[in-house]
Amino acid sequence: MTSLPIRSIRYAACIAFALVSAAAGAQDPLHAWTGGASPARLEAWVNARLAAEKADIDKLVAVHGERTVANTVRPYDDALNELALAGNEAYLMYSVGDSAPLRDKGQELVAKVSSAATDLNLNQDVYRALAAVPLPTNDPATRHYIERALLEYRLAGVDKDEATRAKIRKLQDKITDASLVFGRNVADGKLTVKATSNELKGLPEDYIARHKAAADGTYTLTTDSPDSTPVLNFAADPGLRMKMYLAYNQRAYPANVAVLKSVLEARQELATTLGYKTFADLAMADQMMGSASNLRKFLADVDQASKGASDKEYDLLLAFAKQQKPGLMNISSADANYWSEQYRRARYDFDAQSVRPYFPYDEVQAGILHTAAKLFHVQFRPVPEAKTWDPSVSTFDVYDDTASDHKKLGRIYLDMHPRDGKDKWFSSAPVVPGIRGRQLPEGALICNFSGGVPGDPGLMEYSEVVTFFHEFGHLMHHILGGQGEWSNAGGFNVEGDFVEAPSQMLEEMFRDPGILQSFAKHYKTGETIPSALIAKMNAAGAYGRGRWVQAQLFYSTYSLQVHDRAPGQINFDDLLRQDSARFSHFSFVDGNRMYASFTHLTGYSSNYYTYVLDKVIAVDFFSQFDPAHLLDGPTAMRYRRTVLEPGATKPATELVKDFLGRSQNLDALKAWINEEFKATQTATGQ
Ligand SMILES: [Zn+2]
């Protein structure tokens, strides 16, 4: 089920000013942290935004006579803008606030803003007002904005009668509550396995050192990934791998079977109440995919495009495993990672640690800013005097490099290193949405890279460098897509199943030797990262793509199947067996109950396919760039203009067509998948 995003902005000058003077002295209506964030100040600031939102809605509802874009859509977007500011910055303080009370207050306020957003989503007066605005014929962006808002309202059930709306609310509450229970059961459902010291053979030394043997000489390993992933990847003992595989795939079983059923039943009832045949159709109605039947066709096509490579990978892997273990007939799912890891090491002779000395944090940041500046035709200028929430945050203003006046486009904050109590993930967060002529967009990266401490060069893994650029891509989409008329139509507001495509496209750029060698220098010797090392790294990185795509198809298909039929007809185990046989060469392990801990089923519902759809679009986008001129050819600017700048002012299917000149297809995906076979030939000189 979708809801109106809580993202956007506005400068409600008079209202905000009045409230502010009454409250805590001068407030900065765009930045909660200005003047020092404390729980009380944050609360006063968020309350001022919510009061401004309410004033906008009151103004909208109070209009008499003819409804227009100016008297209805404008205050509606202003209201969303206030909600976005409040939600974004409450979330920011929850993530990066410098004290536990401030972070707790942030969390509490996020819930408060989210509840205000739900009220707006269910406000019939606002829905009727928007529906009464004549659709402009000469302004496609505004037309799309109104149509999309009305669709979201209908998907929330706002046009239903009182009794039906009460039922919808109840069903939604039930889904939310049961999903929380599902997640908690997974989080609390840690299992353990016992291993003898003999069974730990093959595991890294530091792994073994982290565990202490009990009095009887056995070791206790948990299903948490720092414990379980190395066992599945490296443990030489097949018995230990099997024990761990089963334990990992039995987390929250059987507790979550009934919970999952209750989620699926409530979702199905919600879908039929809203006029959809299945929940899958409802969940895709406002997405690029559009419907469950479109998804079935898409999955079948991707299957065809990836099956051959996956077959070939398995044949090579089995032949390799047979050399070590004569008589082996097939590889069990419990052994899939182990043999893949052995094969990768033998075949590619690449150790991920060997590139770290070339990626010290400061050089990487400079390289990413430089690459992004060229690619997106912008300039980044440091703003050392900017007020931020922590002295370690660096601030840059973004200027347009296409016009002679170098117009300012927005601001970015880079909060890149761990601090006590700070959120542990890597993410990109909108702070201020953009509104043309009134408010410049601002965004932040919240990351936990090493470095940032005197004396520590902060050597990064290559995958972290790629993550940095990926998140930076979201930020640029927010800044470049935040130059339009509507706060709620920026880069982060595109369809949920498109939002990752631009950033996934950027990941492909960072395999280019020219780009990497422009900044990757050895932190001690200054030596540029050698071409041969990049080639090896890229070859190893391309291994296993057929299997990866087939695994994505497996998860996508399973997620679809439990949401596209009556819950009473679903047998979780039968479907699991069928789908495993269809998408995996590895033999099924009896007792696998992975659905009980597959949290994407509650989080993404039927829409797990997003990962593979965005990969298809990302590699198709990337294939349009001239490999010899990734940054300086004309394609980069065309990409900025057609995909990023429009933000969410048109359907993503049109953004894709505007750039590619057609819809996405699978040609680039096929080439991407099969690159590993080409790469192997090059690496071995065949
Ligand atoms: Zn992302």
Side-chain angles (χ1 to χ4, degrees), residues 270-504:
L270 180 64
T272 51
T273 306
L274 289 166
Y276 288 83
K277 210 172 131 220
T278 68
F279 187 79
D281 284 309
L282 172 64
M284 288 175 223
D286 62 347
Q287 300 295 301
M288 262 189 111
M289 192 54 75
S291 70
S293 68
N294 289 347
L295 177 56
R296 275 182 213 105
K297 177 165 187 322
F298 171 75
L299 295 175
D301 291 346
V302 176
D303 187 24
Q304 216 179 20
S306 56
K307 193 112 198 130
S310 165
D311 290 347
K312 206 166 155 187
E313 282 168 14
Y314 183 76
D315 291 345
L316 289 167
L317 187 64
L318 184 61
F320 170 82
K322 275 180 171 171
Q323 285 170 3
Q324 334 275 313
K325 228 184 149 186
L328 187 73
M329 297 304 289
N330 55 47
I331 298 176
S332 148
S333 294
D335 298 333
N337 288 3
Y338 171 78
W339 284 116
S340 299
E341 199 53 45
Q342 295 290 314
Y343 178 80
R344 191 199 307 268
R345 284 182 182 185
R347 189 96 190 100
Y348 298 101
D349 182 33
F350 173 72
D351 174 3
Q353 297 299 315
S354 66
V355 295
R356 286 183 62 217
Y358 297 95
F359 296 124
Y361 179 81
D362 290 343
E363 261 58 52
V364 170
Q365 176 176 310
I368 280 177
L369 288 173
H370 180 73
T371 306
K374 279 181 85 170
L375 179 65
F376 299 115
H377 295 263
V378 295
Q379 293 176 5
F380 298 101
R381 298 185 199 159
V383 195
E385 72 279 11
K387 291 195 175 77
T388 67
W389 50 90
D390 187 88
S392 69
V393 176
S394 46
T395 307
F396 296 85
D397 279 342
V398 186
Y399 290 85
D400 197 349
D401 207 14
T402 60
S404 53
D405 60 351
H406 295 303
K407 189 164 69 112
K408 189 164 150 183
L409 298 173
R411 175 169 286 191
I412 59 173
Y413 304 93
L414 304 183
D415 185 347
M416 305 305 276
H417 306 293
R419 283 192 303 277
D420 280 348
K422 180 181 152 182
D423 169 284
K424 299 280 177 275
W425 295 93
F426 301 84
S427 63
S428 174
V431 178
V432 175
I435 304 174
R436 185 188 298 146
R438 203 167 94 186
Q439 178 174 288
L440 289 177
E442 300 183 11
L445 288 193
I446 304 168
C447 297
N448 286 277
F449 296 117
S450 45
V453 184
D456 176 5
L459 302 183
M460 296 170 78
E461 301 214 8
Y462 171 69
S463 62
E464 293 181 311
V465 177
V466 174
T467 299
F468 188 168
F469 203 43
H470 173 111
E471 298 305 334
F472 202 85
H474 287 305
L475 207 52
M476 292 312 296
H477 195 184
H478 176 63
I479 300 294
L480 294 169
Q483 309 295 320
E485 203 178 340
W486 304 109
S487 167
N488 198 42
F492 275 105
N493 302 110
V494 296
E495 287 95 320
D497 61 359
F498 177 71
V499 77
E500 291 298 332
S503 283
Q504 290 201 8

Side-chain angles (χ1 to χ4, degrees), residues 228-271:
S228 60
T229 306
V231 167
L232 296 173
N233 286 346
F234 305 119
D237 187 301
L240 178 61
R241 296 199 299 265
M242 180 58 81
K243 275 191 279 186
M244 184 56 90
Y245 181 86
L246 275 173
Y248 187 81
N249 286 296
Q250 289 176 349
R251 287 171 302 147
Y253 179 85
N256 265 348
V257 174
V259 182
L260 184 55
K261 277 210 167 114
S262 75
V263 171
L264 297 176
E265 277 159 12
R267 281 179 174 165
Q268 176 64 17
E269 200 180 343
L270 180 64

Side-chain angles (χ1 to χ4, degrees), residues 66-98:
E66 202 190 334
R67 289 273 166 194
T68 64
V69 169
N71 72 18
T72 302
V73 184
R74 175 53 63 197
Y76 170 71
D77 189 63
D78 286 347
L80 288 178
N81 187 49
E82 296 295 351
L83 283 179
L85 279 171
N88 291 349
E89 297 191 31
Y91 184 80
L92 188 68
M93 290 303 113
Y94 160 62
S95 307
V96 303
D98 63 4

